[in-house]
Amino acid sequence: MNRKLVVFVPAEALDAVREAVFAAGAGRIGDYERCSWYAEGTGTFLGGESTVPAIGERGREERVPELRLETVFPEERQAEVVAALRRAHPYEEPAFDVYPLL
């Protein structure tokens, strides 16, 4: 069964995150590789006192332009795809979801 990864990423990190998850086994649909989709939006967050935000300042609510990146991967590759995402993503705590596909 396949799964879908949805992650929010700053535009300047899009290519690095895509490359990392593709190298870990994501992005294949049939005979096609490196399949993904992305759209613009605005992310918001408020870092606590112990945080070290990649963008903005702790203790202040931030609104930043981000891209919502989506791709698919085989469920047996989930650990590798998520690990690659975390290594490549510039945020201390990247926001992402994994959905099972029917």
Side-chain angles (χ1 to χ4, degrees):
M1 179 184 300
N2 280 340
R3 300 212 169 160
K4 179 179 276 192
L5 171 68
V6 176
V7 59
F8 301 93
V9 61
E12 62 272 11
L14 177 67
D15 289 338
V17 171
R18 286 179 75 239
E19 292 298 329
V21 297
F22 292 159
R28 181 179 288 276
I29 300 174
D31 289 335
Y32 292 86
E33 295 182 29
R34 302 175 57 80
C35 300
S36 68
W37 180 87
Y38 63 89
E40 296 179 4
T42 302
T44 65
F45 59 90
L46 173 74
E49 291 304 314
S50 65
T51 63
V52 183
I55 298 173
E57 301 174 26
R58 75 181 117 193
R60 188 174 110 195
E61 184 174 335
E62 301 292 341
R63 295 170 191 244
V64 297
E66 293 178 322
L67 299 173
R68 175 187 170 118
L69 170 64
E70 299 185 18
T71 191
V72 296
F73 63 90
E75 72 178 316
E76 63 270 11
R77 301 294 303 171
Q78 182 168 327
E80 293 86 351
V81 169
V82 170
L85 161 68
R86 289 186 180 279
R87 282 191 304 273
H89 202 290
Y91 290 176
E92 190 173 28
E93 293 289 339
F96 68 94
D97 299 308
V98 173
Y99 300 99
L101 299 178
L102 302 178

